[in-house]
Amino acid sequence: MSNENQTIHEFDLNIIYDYFGNTQRQGPGSSEVTLKALSFIDGLTAKSKIADIGCGTGGQTMVLAQNTASEIIGVDLFPEFIKQFNQNAQNLNLQDRVKGVKGDMKNLPFQEEELDLIWSEGAIYNIGFERGLNEWKKFLKKGGYIAVTENTWFTEERPTEIQDFWQEAYPEIDTISNKVDQMQKAGYLPVATFVVPEACWTDYYEVQHPQMQESLLEKYKGNKSAEEFIAYQRYEAELYHKYKAYYGYVFYIGKRIK
């Protein structure tokens, strides 16, 4: 397969938006998983401020908003995602305290110690787990929380095919114990970790993707970039089904202690 070693970042941004723009979530997850992670966060009030980094269209953000009284700012690089995010907030009558803004997670629009909670599902890989934990920490109040999902190895050893794929796509993939150690070294108290259920992946790939893929191939008929993007998505799904015993998303929740 010619595009095995490509990553999603190498594809046309318009194609990526067209593919993910009409989905509730832009990565594996569920309302139940978001709420489980939220259950480990203490002390949120109507005066608290939450940032959802790499929020996409806000599937998980709206769950947070419906289960807290806090102000929430969603940040994403895609303006069309933010447009849909704000429409979703308005549809749910949450616009008075939930707002999406276009921004770069490498240059966030917050003041030091402004936030009570930083959230990021399926997105911190764009900056890197360690870098994100370290650079974002200054925006958290002492005692504030961070909650992120990260693609993680479940075993110390794994087959060469999946090892090589993720080493190329995301070299920072690592084991749970090493990720927890990175969180602790960055100045957080690790509060909880749990594996995102397999169903969040299989439903994500099997329910949403086939229809999206056919629609995109029809829209961009003859477009090599679109065809390679779909091939990449299908290959990643195929690898997950083949090697899901070896890796998956893990939720990491930490509390800033210094």
Side-chain angles (χ1 to χ4, degrees):
M1 180 172 177
S2 64
N3 66 310
E4 285 181 15
N5 293 326
Q6 286 183 283
T7 71
I8 195 170
H9 303 284
E10 297 171 28
F11 294 105
D12 184 280
L13 294 182
N14 290 325
I15 292 173
I16 295 173
Y17 172 72
D18 279 350
Y19 189 77
F20 291 107
N22 293 319
T23 61
Q24 185 179 18
R25 286 174 174 264
Q26 285 70 53
S30 69
S31 297
E32 292 77 16
V33 167
T34 296
L35 288 174
K36 181 176 179 178
L38 183 62
S39 73
F40 294 102
I41 311 298
D42 293 327
L44 292 177
T45 70
K47 294 182 179 180
S48 300
K49 190 169 186 178
I50 300 169
D52 186 359
I53 311 303
C55 61
T57 59
Q60 68 290 331
T61 328
M62 304 306 150
V63 175
L64 292 174
Q66 290 171 318
N67 290 275
T68 69
S70 306
E71 176 187 357
I72 306 179
I73 304 296
V75 181
D76 201 279
L77 197 60
F78 285 84
E80 292 299 324
F81 282 171
I82 292 300
K83 182 179 178 181
Q84 185 61 51
F85 178 105
N86 286 322
Q87 184 60 57
N88 291 340
Q90 188 168 355
N91 292 345
L92 294 169
N93 200 31
L94 296 167
Q95 68 274 11
D96 289 344
R97 59 184 180 88
V98 180
K99 181 181 180 183
V101 297
K102 181 181 179 299
D104 189 338
M105 63 174 62
K106 298 175 183 176
N107 185 27
L108 292 173
F110 303 112
Q111 301 297 314
E112 291 192 11
E113 299 193 18
E114 180 180 353
L115 303 172
D116 297 275
L117 170 62
I118 290 177
W119 202 270
S120 186
E121 290 193 40
I124 196 172
Y125 76 90
N126 286 291
I127 190 174
F129 185 78
E130 279 194 282
R131 181 180 173 185
L133 291 180
N134 282 284
E135 291 190 8
W136 298 351
K137 186 178 70 172
K138 65 186 177 185
F139 302 116
L140 278 176
K141 298 172 183 174
K142 288 185 175 64
Y145 289 84
I146 189 166
V148 303
T149 60
E150 170 78 341
N151 215 3
T152 303
W153 293 127
F154 297 155
T155 60
E156 292 295 333
E157 297 181 354
R158 68 287 308 185
T160 300
E161 183 181 23
I162 194 61
Q163 171 73 35
D164 290 349
F165 174 82
W166 281 112
Q167 191 61 38
E168 180 70 27
Y170 185 55
E172 280 197 55
I173 188 172
D174 211 330
T175 59
I176 294 174
S177 59
N178 285 340
K179 292 292 180 182
V180 170
D181 187 53
Q182 290 166 6
M183 175 171 273
Q184 198 159 19
K185 286 179 178 177
Y188 301 89
L189 171 67
V191 172
T193 64
F194 64 89
V195 175
V196 173
E198 179 185 323
C200 291
W201 286 76
T202 53
D203 290 351
Y204 173 67
Y205 284 129
E206 294 176 0
V207 177
Q208 297 187 61
H209 282 226
Q211 185 177 356
M212 294 189 301
Q213 289 164 359
E214 293 305 320
S215 176
L216 196 76
L217 287 173
E218 181 64 29
K219 180 175 181 178
Y220 290 95
K221 195 170 184 177
N223 183 311
K224 184 179 179 183
S225 183
E227 291 171 354
E228 289 183 344
F229 177 75
I230 296 302
Y232 180 88
Q233 295 300 314
R234 289 172 171 169
Y235 183 57
E236 185 175 354
E238 176 189 327
L239 287 177
Y240 179 73
H241 281 285
K242 191 175 180 180
Y243 297 114
K244 59 191 176 184
Y246 298 94
Y247 74 101
Y249 270 125
V250 174
F251 234 118
Y252 297 89
I253 299 102
K255 184 176 184 179
R256 181 183 173 182
I257 55 175
K258 63 179 182 179

